[in-house]
Amino acid sequence: MKNWALPMAIITGIISYLLYVSMPVFDITRPWINNVVAILQPTLIFAMLFITFCNIGVRDLRPHRWQFWLVIFQMSCFFLMTIVLYGIPETTWKVVLECAMLCLICPTATAGAVVTAKMGGNAAAITTYTIIINSIVAFVAPAMIPVLYPQEGMSFLPAFQTILQKVFPVLICPLLLAWLVRYYIPALHQVLVRYRDCAFYLWTVSLAIAVAVSCKVLAHSNVSFLLLTGIGIVSLVCCLIQFAVGKKIGAHYSMRLEGGQSLGQKNTVFAIWLGYTFLNPITALAGGFYSIWHNLVNSYELYKYRNSGKIE
């Protein structure tokens, strides 16, 4: 269970979705299931982040030099892709490049700290980068994406506010609450620290739901098999490149694991939403594929780490 929690969550999410859509007994739940998922998913993320952040002090959140280079890499890729896409006429394969841009600009997953901590890494370091890159994306995306997809009434400020409302309540609120518990309810804080592994298993439940949502996105897409294959391949390539580049940069500062997770593990729910809201809705498929790829990478790395004998 410990070794294969993530792939089991992925399989559970896929099977759950297939059973749900194929069994008439669930018809009565279809009008409100989306609302349930919309509440349950952020609640699980909030809970797992809260438990993880109880192990992180205020002084632990300080920028590192390797994080600067990760930001440079992400922003350079994003600006380059924006320039290329701006000069390309509307074609079917332009969507594939847009998917690559979405995979590259997407900020670090809020659960990155949970997975990193489970593999013995520095959760505070990846939390710091998560806050930094989400802040930068909140400014950069509203400034650049309307250039590619101009929408009436969607200028910088409305887009900026929309992204802030989507990302920061789930990221910042559990951090502040964890610090309040640390300093004002120390007895409860000690209990939460003792059961910090619960955050990882909350993440597996959240992952199963995220995969089910990704399956829904893929199942309701009306794109050709060839284009779907192209999106799947480009999202896989982006995933592997970002893990490799993150590890390469992090290794120079003795933060190989943290660098790889910071750049490779993405907030795919945000990517799906960003594609639907600002880009061609088909690009949301990239987030669905990327969700599977980066969790398969995490599953393999977690398996290797456990077999190294460094943790139980």
Side-chain angles (χ1 to χ4, degrees):
M1 285 289 291
K2 289 181 178 180
N3 283 348
W4 301 104
L6 296 186
M8 287 175 64
I10 293 173
I11 294 171
T12 299
I14 295 173
I15 294 175
S16 298
Y17 174 76
L18 294 176
L19 290 177
Y20 180 79
V21 298
S22 62
M23 298 179 68
V25 69
F26 294 116
D27 287 347
I28 193 174
T29 69
R30 304 196 196 284
W32 47 267
I33 189 63
N34 287 334
N35 293 331
V36 172
V37 172
I39 296 173
L40 181 59
Q41 185 78 331
T43 300
L44 288 170
I45 293 174
F46 187 100
M48 71 183 186
L49 289 180
F50 169 64
I51 295 173
T52 301
F53 291 158
C54 282
N55 295 275
I56 300 174
V58 178
R59 296 179 180 179
D60 296 328
L61 295 181
R62 60 182 184 274
H64 297 265
R65 187 173 298 177
W66 59 269
Q67 295 167 347
F68 168 78
W69 293 112
L70 294 192
V71 170
I72 292 298
F73 174 80
Q74 278 197 256
M75 293 303 105
S76 298
C77 292
F78 178 63
F79 286 127
L80 178 61
M81 294 296 297
T82 302
I83 294 172
V84 171
L85 287 168
Y86 186 74
I88 294 178
E90 292 296 332
T91 63
T92 301
W93 292 104
K94 182 179 180 180
V95 175
V96 176
L97 294 179
E98 291 168 349
C99 290
M101 180 185 71
L102 190 62
C103 292
L104 293 168
I105 189 57
C106 186
T108 306
T110 51
V114 178
V115 178
T116 301
K118 193 64 179 176
M119 289 189 282
N122 188 328
I126 190 173
T127 299
T128 303
Y129 185 76
T130 302
I131 295 172
I132 292 172
I133 195 60
N134 275 276
S135 303
I136 293 175
V137 170
F139 279 99
V140 173
M144 299 300 294
I145 289 179
V147 174
L148 298 175
Y149 284 94
Q151 300 179 30
E152 186 177 351
M154 188 55 74
S155 58
F156 171 80
L157 189 58
F160 174 69
Q161 292 174 337
T162 301
I163 291 178
L164 283 184
Q165 293 169 359
K166 188 72 177 179
V167 174
F168 277 82
V170 179
L171 178 61
I172 300 300
C173 290
L175 182 63
L176 297 177
L177 181 59
W179 287 345
L180 288 174
V181 170
R182 171 187 288 264
Y183 293 111
Y184 294 103
I185 317 178
L188 175 59
H189 177 260
Q190 290 300 318
V191 173
L192 292 170
V193 169
R194 192 178 310 139
Y195 294 100
R196 60 182 178 270
D197 281 352
C198 289
F200 177 77
Y201 297 105
L202 286 174
W203 166 235
T204 61
V205 177
S206 178
L207 173 59
I209 297 174
V211 170
V213 172
S214 298
C215 287
K216 178 184 176 182
V217 173
L218 296 174
H220 286 78
S221 64
N222 295 316
V223 301
S224 65
F225 177 78
L226 186 61
L227 179 57
L228 197 64
T229 302
I231 295 174
I233 292 174
V234 77
S235 61
L236 174 60
V237 171
C238 288
C239 178
L240 296 178
I241 288 176
Q242 290 184 103
F243 268 106
V245 171
K247 289 180 179 180
K248 187 72 174 178
I249 293 174
H252 285 284
Y253 302 91
S254 300
M255 288 280 182
R256 185 175 184 275
L257 170 63
E258 293 79 1
Q261 293 301 127
S262 293
L263 200 57
Q265 187 171 351
K266 299 293 189 180
N267 186 347
T268 53
V269 175
F270 176 78
I272 293 172
W273 171 82
L274 193 67
Y276 269 126
T277 306
F278 296 102
L279 303 177
N280 188 323
I282 296 176
T283 60
L285 296 173
F289 277 115
Y290 200 103
S291 176
I292 297 173
W293 305 142
H294 80 161
N295 281 296
L296 287 176
V297 172
N298 283 338
S299 301
Y300 176 67
E301 291 187 338
L302 184 61
Y303 175 76
K304 288 197 305 180
Y305 190 79
R306 287 195 177 279
N307 282 342
S308 69
K310 295 180 179 179
I311 60 177
E312 72 281 0

